[in-house]
Amino acid sequence: MSEKNGVAETADLRAAGWKAMRALMPGVFPEGDVDLRDGRLGEDLVDIGLTSVFGALWSREGLAPRDRSLVTIALLIALGAETELKTHVRIGITNGLTQDEIAEVIYHSAGYAGFPRAVAARTAAREALEP
């Protein structure tokens, strides 16, 4: 990524974000720079996630995508973010996690994030993995 004043340029982060998102969710997004805005309230939120989460974080070296999935799933369980968890369970499978490994993260989270969060995560993971 090129830098300007120590900050990666937005276009570079956007391109890196698209590359990461397409790798993590194959077949979900068409090729090219797609406009994610829908004309409704908060329409820029997905675009912000594209550059700041997928472009700046998922594109970093230092952790393999599989490891990032483990960390992300655990964090989303702790936060009680079931909607995002469903997406990241599917991303975890794409990144090589097994259903047994995802279950272990859920079990482990019960001891740290609490049993209700683990139960909610189990429900979300089951929904995400339904055919």
Side-chain angles (χ1 to χ4, degrees):
M1 284 184 208
S2 62
E3 293 192 14
K4 188 174 188 177
N5 298 324
V7 178
E9 294 181 20
T10 303
D12 292 337
L13 287 175
R14 187 172 182 81
W18 274 121
K19 183 177 178 183
M21 282 181 50
R22 287 189 176 102
L24 297 170
M25 295 176 269
V28 173
F29 302 100
E31 290 301 315
D33 190 5
V34 180
D35 186 357
L36 298 172
R37 294 172 294 173
D38 62 4
R40 298 173 63 198
L41 176 79
E43 69 178 359
D44 292 333
L45 189 59
V46 176
D47 201 61
I48 291 167
L50 172 68
T51 57
S52 65
V53 176
F54 291 97
L57 298 176
W58 278 91
S59 299
R60 292 178 58 85
E61 295 180 12
L63 286 178
R66 184 182 188 287
D67 298 331
R68 287 192 192 280
S69 282
L70 284 169
V71 171
T72 302
I73 288 170
L75 288 166
L76 293 172
I77 291 169
L79 290 169
E82 287 84 17
T83 299
E84 292 80 6
L85 179 60
K86 289 178 189 179
T87 299
H88 281 279
V89 163
R90 290 187 292 271
I91 288 172
I93 296 293
T94 298
N95 284 335
L97 295 179
T98 66
Q99 288 188 25
D100 288 341
E101 290 170 322
I102 292 168
E104 286 298 328
V105 174
I106 293 169
Y107 304 151
H108 196 75
S109 71
Y112 291 89
F115 200 80
R117 291 275 165 99
V119 170
R122 181 188 65 181
T123 300
R126 285 177 174 178
E127 290 173 7
L129 295 171
E130 288 177 353

